């Protein structure tokens, strides 16, 4: 087809589809953009193809040839309370890629197993062609969701919020990395039109003016119904009262929903069951903002295909029925340094027989028929705990990647019929190749005095490079970053995660990026992060830890001192030759490392064939 004809056809398809399903503005915008700066024909073709695929799928669902994703969510037990009418939602999801989101406030430095629960249906929706967003509440965490609480959340320091945002951001990107692998494993097709995003609400809430907020939303919001909400009533009568910020929290969450609805076409919000009130309030807020649009041509229609909807998942509780959460103090963390992969595996191994089937439905992407097979095999000999092993293996594949899952399964004496599953395409941690699953520990401590060092030496001290000269090269190639707001060399704006390339600046410059006088966040490449807590020099000395490149702790000095002490004891004279021989021996033995700080791991040298080669399906390397 001639390029111009393809473009016209795609634009036409877009317009038709959009007028039917309401992406009127984006199609219009696309047309405008195409005219103004020319949109690649291939892009328009992809859009049109995406639409066509969806229409074909809708027909198949209607004819019963393909399952509806809502029914899948329902039969697996994800749907608790629905904001909207299930039948209408089903029809909406059949005719339109409605997109969904789940938000997490970074009020701790890791997510926990409870957080996975609302994310699982989001991932299912993504597998089935709906765009999916995981939202980091960098801004809302600073307000503090009062839902279900009697006591207000503690105000977090700038350094805590920055640390939490950084850690959870990388945790979410690791989850997405593993979810993509699981999508391939379970044979769901990649769908270009089902975009997957990781956003932070400080991107829009930070710039939201009081005037806009009041003009578009607060002015039309009645306080009466808000006062009747359970959280508000209970916190005011039985708890420690409620601040205006807490009272308005649901409106900010609603503003997020509006932002994603307006900019990305996301129409569904999913959350834990304590989020039902916020989801319903968010839908009301979204509609108010939608209706308060002043420019008629910008107004999104309020027809049924534009209806915002939502649902909650059941609450994951511990054996005594208490919600798993940070505040309840019983969380099983996703951070491997808070709950090791071995412990995480063990936690799922200990689930009682009567719970394991429903947990397999909730926490894995295994088809229902496969779950039934596993359960039949399990019941034949429950003492083998096959169902628990399967559950633990699948959760580990999701949280830490399939390579780690296999390692832990082997630790727990589990055999996969004598052979490893076919889907291991991840390099193992000991190869030195970095992926989201093999990234080294990100939170480390260093003494305040490192701030007197050059950027290159700080990178070495943090274990991001193998030597100060490598650090120098990295900085000159603009390959190292410090967390900060772009264009503003004034450190990180709390709640945000932006990066500034490090330069060969004077040490004083580095101090400008230190948050609350104690936190510095560095990055090399895509996944290699260091969240450095700066402790006092006295505490550092007392800890007896050493960082790479720490002055007066070099290997030569250490070896010399040791040899001198040994020679003195034996009454011998220490020759230069002996020192050189001993040094070479230690180098050969690779003992030339900072041995007494296990947290700071220097980059492993990746053999050239591994860099070039590919991991085969059985986990070995193709040379
Ligand atoms: N145990 C759980 N079961 C199901 N969903 C959960 C659970 N814990 C958290 N969630 C959901 O995960 C999302 C993010 O939760 P949030 O950031 O409030 O964490 P939290 O651990 O519940 O916090 P806190 O205990 O401090 O209230 C929300 O939708 C919440 O409902
Ligand atoms: N309020 C949610 C997190 C969240 C934040 C912003 C949102 O837009 C959505 C959800 C919670 O505390 O669990």
């Amino acid at each position: 087809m001639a390029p111009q004809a393809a473009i016209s056809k795609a634009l036409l398809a877009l317009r038709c589809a959009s007028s039917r399903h309401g992406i009127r503005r984006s199609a219009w915008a696309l047309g405008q953009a195409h005219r103004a700066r020319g949109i690649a024909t291939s892009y328009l073709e992809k859009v049109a193809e995406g639409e066509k695929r969806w229409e074909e799928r809708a027909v198949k669902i209607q004819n019963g040839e393909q399952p509806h994703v809502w029914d899948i969510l329902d039969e697996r037990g994800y749907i608790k309370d629905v904001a909207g009418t299930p039948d209408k939602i089903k029809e909406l999801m059949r005719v339109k890629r409605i997109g969904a989101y789940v938000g997490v406030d970074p009020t701790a430095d890791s997510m926990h197993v409870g957080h996975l629960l609302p994310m699982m249906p989001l991932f299912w929706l993504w597998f089935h062609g709906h765009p999916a967003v995981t939202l980091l509440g960098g801004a809302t965490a600073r307000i503090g969701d009062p839902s279900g609480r009697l006591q207000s959340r503690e105000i977090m320091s700038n350094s805590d919020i920055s640390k939490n945002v950084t850690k959870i951001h990388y945790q979410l990107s690791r989850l997405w990395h593993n979810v993509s692998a699981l999508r391939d494993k379970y044979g769901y097709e990649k769908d270009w039109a089902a975009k997957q995003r990781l956003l932070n609400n400080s991107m829009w809430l930070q710039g939201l003016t009081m005037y806009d907020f009041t003009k578009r939303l607060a002015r039309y919001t009645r306080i009466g119904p808000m006062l009747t909400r359970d959280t508000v009533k209970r916190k005011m009568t039985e708890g420690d009262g409620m601040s205006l910020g807490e009272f308005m929290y649901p409106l900010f969450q609603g503003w997020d929903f509006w932002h994603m609805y307006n900019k990305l076409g996301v129409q569904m919000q999913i959350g834990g069951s304590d989020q039902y009130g916020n989801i319903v309030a968010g839908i009301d807020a979204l509609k108010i903002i939608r209706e308060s649009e002043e420019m008629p041509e910008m107004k999104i229609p309020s027809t049924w295909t534009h209806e915002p909807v939502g649902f909650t998942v059941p609450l994951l509780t511990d054996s005594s029925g208490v919600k798993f959460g940070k505040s309840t103090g019983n969380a099983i963390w996703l951070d491997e340094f808070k709950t090791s992969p071995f412990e995480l595996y063990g936690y799922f191994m200990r689930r009682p027989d009567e719970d394991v089937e429903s947990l397999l439905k909730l926490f894995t992407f295994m088809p229902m028929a496969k779950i039934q097979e596993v359960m039949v095999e399990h019941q034949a000999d429950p003492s083998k705990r096959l169902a628990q092993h399967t559950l633990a293996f699948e959760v580990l594949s999701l949280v830490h990647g399939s390579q780690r899952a296999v390692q832990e399964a082997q630790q727990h004496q589990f055999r996969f019929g004598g052979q490893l599953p076919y889907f291991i395409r991840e390099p193992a941690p000991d190869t030195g190749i970095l992926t989201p699953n093999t990234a080294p520990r990100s939170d480390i401590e260093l003494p305040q005095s490192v701030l007197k060092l050059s950027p290159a030496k700080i990178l070495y001290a943090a274990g991001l490079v193998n030597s100060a000269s490598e650090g120098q090269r990295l900085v000159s190639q603009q390959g190292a970053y410090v967390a900060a707001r772009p264009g503003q060399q004034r450190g990180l704006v709390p709640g945000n995660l932006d990066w500034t390339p490090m330069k060969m600046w004077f040490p004083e410059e580095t101090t400008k990026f230190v948050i609350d006088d104690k936190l510095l966040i560095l990055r090399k490449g895509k996944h290699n992060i260091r969240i450095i807590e700066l402790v006092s020099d006295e505490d550092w000395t007392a800890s007896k830890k050493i960082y790479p490149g720490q002055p007066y702790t070099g290997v030569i000095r250490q070896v010399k001192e040791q040899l001198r002490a040994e020679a003195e004891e034996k009454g011998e004279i220490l020759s230069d030759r002996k020192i050189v021989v001993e040094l070479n021996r230690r180098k050969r033995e690779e003992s030339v490392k900072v041995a007494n700080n296990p947290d700071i791991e220097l980059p492993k040298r990746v053999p050239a064939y591994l860099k070039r080669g590919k991991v085969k399906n059985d986990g070995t390397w193709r040379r």
Side-chain angles (χ1 to χ4, degrees), residues 314-579:
L315 217 53
L316 185 72
T317 57
D318 64 15
S319 48
S320 47
V322 177
K323 172 195 167 186
F324 262 117
K326 323 172 255 246
S327 311
T328 36
N330 55 356
I332 304 284
W333 301 102
L334 304 191
D335 184 316
E336 63 186 293
F337 301 101
K338 285 164 90 85
T339 299
S340 72
F342 185 80
E343 286 172 272
L344 184 64
Y345 197 101
Y347 166 76
F348 283 100
M349 278 304 294
R350 291 192 300 276
R351 291 312 89 208
D353 280 351
E354 56 274 22
D355 291 353
V356 71
E357 186 174 350
S358 60
L359 290 171
L360 279 167
K361 289 180 193 162
L362 291 172
F363 282 105
T364 78
F365 298 110
M366 287 168 67
M368 293 295 267
K370 182 74 194 159
I371 294 179
Q372 289 318 316
E373 255 175 52
V374 169
M375 288 313 296
V376 169
E377 210 179 325
H378 172 85
Q379 273 138 17
D381 184 356
S383 68
K384 284 193 177 149
R385 300 188 85 68
L386 176 76
Q388 282 85 350
H389 274 301
T390 310
L391 172 66
F393 181 82
E394 291 292 318
V395 176
L396 255 86
S397 304
L398 174 64
V399 177
H400 296 299
S402 52
Q403 188 72 38
R404 279 302 260 284
V406 170
Q407 276 174 12
E408 297 310 328
Q410 282 166 343
Q411 293 266 351
H412 283 262
Q413 302 292 308
F414 185 42
R415 300 269 177 276
F416 285 93
Q419 68 171 68
L420 299 178
Y422 73 93
F423 52 87
I424 306 159
R425 292 197 200 92
E426 285 261 301
D430 55 7
T431 55
I433 294 181
L434 278 193
T435 70
N437 292 318
T438 58
R441 182 176 188 135
S442 63
D443 43 344
I444 58 167
E445 283 184 353
L446 286 177
Q448 286 276 356
S449 54
V450 288
L451 293 176
K452 295 192 190 121
L453 302 178
S454 67
K457 285 188 177 160
I458 295 183
L459 290 172
Y460 180 36
L464 284 166
V465 288
N466 269 309
S467 63
S469 50
E470 198 184 315
Q472 193 93 12
R473 276 198 299 280
L474 188 70
V475 172
S476 62
Q477 291 158 2
Q478 302 227 15
Y481 300 84
V482 56
R485 199 175 163 78
Q488 212 191 340
Q489 300 221 330
R490 277 265 125 214
L492 188 70
V493 173
N496 250 355
L497 188 58
D498 292 314
W499 301 99
T500 295
M502 287 176 94
K503 302 261 163 53
M504 291 204 242
W505 52 52
F506 288 115
E508 307 85 74
E509 204 57 34
T510 312
T511 54
K512 292 185 184 158
F513 295 91
V514 175
I515 308 154
D516 285 350
D517 292 332
K518 65 169 191 195
L519 198 80
L520 183 68
I521 306 177
L522 304 177
R523 171 166 77 87
K524 174 186 138 186
K526 218 171 161 192
H527 316 292
N528 213 349
I529 310 295
R530 294 295 182 282
I531 302 167
I532 306 167
E533 190 173 331
L534 297 160
V535 297
S536 73
D537 284 34
E538 296 77 55
D539 286 353
W540 181 258
T541 313
S543 75
K544 296 213 163 55
K545 288 186 200 161
I546 291 176
Y547 62 79
Q550 182 165 330
Y552 312 116
T553 58
V555 189
I556 300 183
R557 180 181 290 260
Q558 277 179 29
V559 171
K560 264 190 186 166
E561 268 167 20
Q562 202 183 331
L563 291 178
R564 204 168 280 137
E566 283 169 15
E568 232 168 64
E569 230 178 74
K570 293 184 200 156
E572 289 172 0
I573 295 169
L574 185 63
S575 69
D576 283 353
R577 191 179 146 64
K578 198 167 176 194
I579 295 176

Side-chain angles (χ1 to χ4, degrees), residues 101 103-105 135 140 145 201 249 253 256 269 275 278:
Y101 94 96
V104 182
D105 275 350
L135 177 73
T140 36
D145 187 352
N201 62 14
Y249 184 100
Q253 189 161 330
D256 285 345
Q269 184 178 173
Q275 289 297 305
N278 284 353

Side-chain angles (χ1 to χ4, degrees), residues 15 41 108 117 144 160 163 176 184 214 218 290 319 340 362 380 475 508 517 604 613:
R15 288 211 187 89
T41 315
L117 209 52
D160 280 344
K163 177 180 175 183
W176 274 115
D184 297 347
T214 313
R290 186 178 63 186
S319 48
S340 72
L362 291 172
V475 172
E508 307 85 74
D517 292 332
K604 293 197 181 74

Side-chain angles (χ1 to χ4, degrees), residues 267-315:
Q267 269 176 256
M268 176 180 270
Q269 184 178 173
I270 309 171
S273 62
D274 54 346
Q275 289 297 305
Y276 187 69
N278 284 353
I279 293 176
V280 172
I283 290 176
D284 291 343
L286 182 157
K287 287 181 177 168
I288 290 177
I289 307 169
R290 186 178 63 186
E291 296 317 307
S292 63
E293 174 57 64
E294 283 157 4
M295 289 196 274
E297 72 279 12
M298 297 289 282
K299 199 161 180 166
I300 299 181
S302 46
T303 52
W304 72 275
T305 51
H306 294 88
E307 190 67 10
V309 296
F311 72 91
T312 60
V313 296
L315 217 53

Side-chain angles (χ1 to χ4, degrees), residues 21 49-59 61 92-98 125 128-130 191:
H21 307 315
E49 270 167 31
E51 274 299 327
K52 193 161 161 268
R53 266 200 309 281
W54 199 257
E55 278 164 19
E56 285 164 4
R57 181 195 288 243
V59 173
I61 295 173
L92 176 60
M93 292 172 85
R94 189 183 71 82
V95 298
K96 191 173 173 188
R97 294 178 195 270
I98 64 167
L125 289 174
H128 284 264
H130 291 276
D191 189 338

